[in-house]
Amino acid sequence: MAQNADLIKQAMFEELQKILNPNGEIRRNAEERLAQLKYTEGYGIYLAEITINQSLDLALRQLASVMLKQYVEDCWTVEESEADAGTNGTLLVNNEAKTAIKTILPQGSGNENSVHGAMKVLVEFTLDLDEKQIVDVGPMILSEVYRIFEAQTVYSVSTRSYAVEILHSMLRSITTHIESKQEQGNILNAVLPAFMQKMIEGLTVPNGPYSSFQLKTKIVKVLKYMISDMSKFANQYLAAILPPIWQLLTQMADVYIKVIVNETEESPFVDNGEGDENEEFISMILQIFEFLHTIIEIKKYKGAITNVLTDLIYIVILYMQMTEEQVQSWHEDPEKFVEDEDEQGVDFTIRTTALDVLLMLGQEYDQKLLASFSEALGKHITVADADRNAGHPYWWKLYEASMLAVGSFKEMIVKNEDKFDLDQYMNLVKGIMEYQ
């Protein structure tokens, strides 16, 4: 058996080398041969071993990792009823092979390229852990991905982002398959406190060699999941989580307004080879608003929101402003404006997401919101008036966002006129309607 395994492994190694050959005929023959070897029991295990083998050529290891990822997508989660290779050619990866692969990949320690390939594939595997596998290999995987995440001077931002993504997958698998909080703690407690601390610190690291919008987005996504689905483990960190989240949202507002909303400044974002920074920036803002939405929904965190309610409403309305891209699109097609602004609209934009957060605040606080709302509104009107008087062409966007906010609370305002100066607001609207 061992001899046969060695022969198959050697055959796979040779065919992988041939795939890298510039001769098209040699490549096609090698691909056909590997397609046959795919049905051998150790196929995935051998690919995993090649992926992390630092003595092999980098191109070969990267090819192995790509093929292993495809193997997982094709064969990892096939139902048993479909897995009859003898009749329909469908292949099922058995549990022994799955466990072996999951054990091999976290051991891809060493240089950046070796780890990056292993981490990229491991993301797929951690989505499909069962209870036994979580207990058997979960602590080891968590330990390894934490080691990689904290080693910011050794591994790239991209590789460390995969570490956070794997943590997220592991947490989801744990909460899905293990009900006992004590058993969850047995798996998590050795690594999670340090991981949480490093992730929270990571939110304040400037973009560059050690951080990116993509990494911050994945961190916020993990924190949101823990707040909503693993509150027992997250509660103690809430006081430490909120300040950097708030700092990110407020610091990025100025960039968002100048670069995205009004386009008065050139975009500082670039295509860094691994993704468009502009898109990653938008994704991070959206993820922060999703985090806030989750916090607002959970009653026991209400005190933390109440303390910053006026400021939160102010910043949310700021992000509700129309972007120049939206203005142009709606100017060309007014019907698209109606479609996009409809409550059933499918576009997932910062404007609509910020409005959702505002509506959630109204739902949770009801009339108690109006005092803070009025104060935030007054600040925006003051800024908008100053911009108009200074001749800034985009002053009207703050008015529009403010009116959108007021319109969203119209029923609440009409029922509680003593808590909102409706006359002053209507005079304001009248003045705007009479403007040029």
Side-chain angles (χ1 to χ4, degrees):
M1 289 289 288
Q3 186 177 6
N4 286 339
D6 289 340
L7 289 173
I8 294 171
K9 188 174 180 179
Q10 181 61 32
M12 285 181 59
F13 179 76
E14 291 173 358
E15 299 306 326
L16 284 170
Q17 286 182 312
K18 290 176 183 177
I19 287 181
L20 297 174
N21 193 296
N23 185 295
E25 184 65 25
I26 293 176
R27 285 202 310 271
R28 282 190 292 273
N29 290 336
E31 288 168 359
E32 291 176 4
R33 177 66 174 141
L34 280 171
Q36 297 170 352
L37 290 171
K38 188 175 181 179
Y39 289 90
T40 59
E41 187 173 341
Y43 180 85
I45 297 173
Y46 304 147
L47 286 176
E49 290 175 348
I50 292 170
T51 296
I52 70 166
N53 190 335
Q54 297 170 50
S55 66
L56 299 178
D57 181 70
L58 174 59
L60 189 71
R61 300 204 312 272
Q62 289 177 332
L63 174 61
S65 73
V66 169
M67 295 186 67
L68 180 56
K69 185 175 185 294
Q70 188 62 51
Y71 177 66
V72 171
E73 291 172 352
D74 292 344
C75 312
W76 195 269
T77 56
V78 178
E79 295 295 331
E80 293 281 356
S81 59
E82 301 174 12
D84 183 359
T87 58
N88 59 18
T90 303
L91 176 66
L92 178 72
V93 185
N94 62 42
N95 288 331
E96 290 77 12
K98 288 183 178 181
T99 301
I101 294 169
K102 291 168 184 173
T103 303
I104 291 167
L105 285 174
Q107 297 170 0
S109 305
N111 63 50
E112 162 65 23
N113 293 318
S114 173
V115 173
H116 185 87
M119 298 288 280
K120 193 172 183 179
V121 181
L122 193 59
V123 169
E124 304 291 332
F125 296 165
T126 49
L127 293 172
D128 186 47
L129 289 167
D130 58 31
E131 182 175 351
K132 184 178 185 306
Q133 291 167 340
I134 292 170
V135 174
D136 289 345
V137 303
M140 179 189 64
I141 292 175
L142 287 171
S143 177
E144 283 298 304
V145 295
Y146 169 68
R147 182 188 62 77
I148 290 166
F149 176 72
E150 72 161 348
Q152 63 179 24
T153 59
V154 178
Y155 301 110
S156 69
V157 177
S158 178
T159 297
R160 292 172 58 241
S161 294
Y162 279 124
V164 177
E165 191 172 344
I166 291 168
L167 171 64
H168 187 216
S169 297
M170 284 294 301
L171 294 175
R172 288 168 56 194
S173 293
I174 289 169
T175 54
T176 299
H177 297 292
I178 300 179
E179 293 185 10
S180 166
K181 300 299 183 189
Q182 182 175 345
E183 290 181 23
Q184 291 178 3
N186 291 341
I187 298 169
L188 293 170
N189 288 341
V191 173
L192 189 61
F195 217 140
M196 288 292 289
Q197 181 181 344
K198 287 293 182 182
M199 285 194 296
I200 293 170
E201 292 174 0
L203 292 175
T204 63
V205 176
N207 284 9
Y210 304 137
S211 189
S212 66
F213 292 130
Q214 183 188 58
L215 176 58
K216 291 182 175 76
T217 301
K218 290 184 178 181
I219 290 174
V220 176
K221 192 172 185 178
V222 168
L223 298 177
K224 172 187 173 292
Y225 182 79
M226 292 198 65
I227 291 291
S228 61
D229 290 63
M230 304 184 75
S231 58
K232 178 182 182 298
F233 297 95
N235 286 343
Q236 60 182 305
Y237 301 104
L238 186 65
I241 291 171
L242 289 179
I245 293 279
W246 181 250
Q247 182 180 328
L248 264 181
L249 192 65
T250 53
Q251 285 182 346
M252 293 299 106
D254 187 57
V255 177
Y256 179 70
I257 299 303
K258 291 177 179 176
V259 175
I260 308 294
V261 171
N262 296 332
E263 297 182 359
T264 54
E265 290 188 3
E266 288 293 321
S267 173
F269 309 130
V270 296
D271 187 335
N272 55 22
E274 296 177 355
D276 186 336
E277 264 197 333
N278 186 73
E279 292 180 4
E280 292 174 359
F281 172 71
I282 297 295
S283 295
M284 184 189 72
I285 301 298
L286 289 171
Q287 189 62 58
I288 290 175
F289 276 126
E290 286 189 38
F291 174 89
L292 290 173
H293 198 285
T294 299
I295 288 283
I296 294 164
E297 276 186 305
I298 302 175
K299 304 293 184 185
K300 61 183 172 184
Y301 299 139
K302 196 169 184 177
I305 296 298
T306 303
N307 293 335
V308 295
L309 190 55
T310 300
D311 291 336
L312 178 56
I313 295 171
Y314 180 88
I315 202 76
V316 166
I317 294 175
L318 200 64
Y319 277 101
M320 284 167 53
Q321 294 178 82
M322 293 183 188
T323 67
E324 275 302 286
E325 184 178 345
Q326 288 170 325
V327 171
Q328 185 64 32
S329 173
W330 294 337
H331 178 75
E332 294 172 355
D333 184 2
E335 289 187 7
K336 191 170 190 324
F337 167 75
V338 177
E339 179 185 330
D340 289 349
E341 293 288 280
D342 184 81
E343 290 183 1
Q344 304 304 315
V346 295
D347 279 356
F348 194 54
T349 65
I350 286 182
R351 176 178 167 93
T352 57
T353 307
L355 179 57
D356 283 344
V357 171
L358 187 66
L359 292 173
M360 178 57 66
L361 286 170
Q363 182 178 317
E364 293 299 319
Y365 285 88
D366 197 37
Q367 60 178 302
K368 295 178 182 178
L369 178 84
L370 289 178
S372 294
F373 181 63
S374 297
E375 185 179 349
L377 202 66
K379 291 179 179 179
H380 277 307
I381 298 305
T382 299
V383 172
D385 285 342
D387 284 346
R388 180 174 59 173
N389 294 335
H392 297 163
Y394 303 110
W395 62 268
W396 62 271
K397 290 185 179 182
L398 264 180
Y399 270 106
E400 190 276 336
S402 298
M403 291 177 181
L404 177 61
V406 172
S408 301
F409 293 145
K410 55 184 179 293
E411 293 181 7
M412 184 197 305
I413 289 171
V414 169
K415 291 178 182 177
N416 300 276
E417 286 191 46
D418 59 318
K419 295 181 172 64
F420 185 87
D421 194 338
L422 192 57
D423 288 340
Q424 183 184 37
Y425 176 74
M426 294 308 293
N427 286 330
L428 176 72
V429 173
K430 182 175 181 292
I432 296 299
M433 295 293 285
E434 294 172 350
Y435 194 75
Q436 299 172 354

